[in-house]
Amino acid sequence: TQLLEQSPQFLSIQEGENLTVYCNSSSVFSSLQWYRQEPGEGPVLLVTVVTGGEVKKLKRLTFQFGDARKDSSLHITAAQPGDTGLYLCAGVLGSQGNLIFGKGTKLSVKP
Amino acid sequence: NAGVTQTPKFQVLKTGQSMTLQCAQDMNHNSMYWYRQDPGMGLRLIYYSASEGTTDKGEVPNGYNVSRLNKREFSLRLESAAPSQTSVYFCASRGRGHNQPQHFGDGTRLSIL
């Protein structure tokens, strides 16, 4: 069974702090996707990283794909209460393009 | 744009009852998926359909069956519900290209007593 280890599982911080979420695996992925999920809704894609070593920025969010395409990180700068939610990483496997999800990081940003 | 629509949104069943969860997408996507989400477990793939007319097992298929009725619709059936199947169920679809994102419905919250 391929596993995608995501950490931390919970994160509670004050507005303005920085944070990093990690996803690690022993498997090589063709790409890795990050999703954000609000309560009562389905996950929504934030970004897809494809190339080893790739860095993508989305406003205050920075996503990095490891050189060996086995790990990824999400860094949020100056977190805001609107960043609160469940963040999920998902590795894309094989020609079918099925996703293996990490267990998620529940982020709470307090004003 | 409706995207992916799931019905019902909530359901309570008794052990042994059967029911079908419905999913429809209006994006002309080939691939469709059923996941379950449990606290601390992330999303786990139950079944998927790479194209109309085909279905395959995912990570946790036991106790479930699926039907790809046409390109738009992909249903999930619980023949004899068990308390262990209490979960939130998500349907998703994806367009061509294995790096394309999956688009999710808002889920069905299922409780089995």
Side-chain angles (χ1 to χ4, degrees):
Chain A
T1 304
Q2 286 106 347
L3 292 175
L4 192 53
E5 301 286 346
Q6 186 172 346
S7 63
Q9 191 174 355
F10 299 97
L11 201 49
S12 181
I13 61 173
Q14 293 295 129
E15 182 176 0
E17 293 183 7
N18 302 331
L19 67 113
T20 302
V21 178
Y22 300 94
C23 273
N24 296 287
S25 177
S26 57
S27 301
V28 176
F29 297 109
S30 60
S31 64
L32 196 136
Q33 299 176 350
W34 286 90
Y35 290 81
R36 183 174 167 215
Q37 186 178 14
E38 305 270 13
E41 299 180 5
V44 176
L45 182 78
L46 293 172
V47 78
T48 300
V49 284
V50 180
T51 307
E54 183 176 4
V55 176
K56 278 192 174 178
K57 291 193 175 184
L58 202 67
K59 297 183 181 178
R60 294 175 293 99
L61 278 61
T62 301
F63 303 85
Q64 188 162 6
F65 201 15
D67 290 340
R69 290 187 287 126
K70 294 182 179 182
D71 56 272
S72 182
S73 63
L74 158 61
H75 182 80
I76 301 179
T77 303
Q80 298 178 1
D83 295 326
T84 293
L86 180 67
Y87 291 81
L88 296 158
C89 61
V92 179
L93 283 171
S95 58
Q96 295 281 11
N98 288 352
L99 296 178
I100 297 291
F101 280 88
K103 293 183 179 181
T105 296
K106 193 170 184 180
L107 173 64
S108 174
V109 183
K110 300 186 189 324
Chain B
N1 280 343
V4 177
T5 303
Q6 291 184 236
T7 55
K9 294 191 184 304
F10 302 94
Q11 185 72 49
V12 178
L13 293 177
K14 294 182 179 178
T15 298
Q17 287 186 316
S18 61
M19 82 160 295
T20 299
L21 279 62
Q22 307 286 352
C23 175
Q25 52 93 9
D26 62 2
M27 295 171 283
N28 200 36
H29 286 168
N30 287 324
S31 302
M32 296 186 74
Y33 307 84
W34 276 105
Y35 294 92
R36 61 178 289 173
Q37 186 174 36
D38 302 292
M41 297 294 292
L43 283 150
R44 294 182 292 169
L45 183 64
I46 304 171
Y47 270 93
Y48 67 99
S49 171
S51 62
E52 186 178 356
T54 69
T55 61
D56 285 288
K57 294 178 181 179
E59 181 186 354
V60 288
N62 290 345
Y64 305 96
N65 286 301
V66 290
S67 295
R68 184 74 182 264
L69 303 170
N70 48 56
K71 192 170 186 179
R72 289 187 66 247
E73 298 172 288
F74 188 37
S75 62
L76 178 72
R77 183 161 177 84
L78 285 71
E79 288 291 352
S80 179
S84 61
Q85 294 178 303
T86 293
S87 188
V88 182
Y89 291 85
F90 287 97
C91 177
S93 69
R94 178 177 62 83
R96 288 196 174 196
H98 63 272
N99 289 330
Q100 291 298 306
Q102 292 189 12
H103 298 261
F104 288 82
D106 284 338
T108 294
R109 281 139 193 87
L110 183 61
S111 292
I112 298 158
L113 307 178

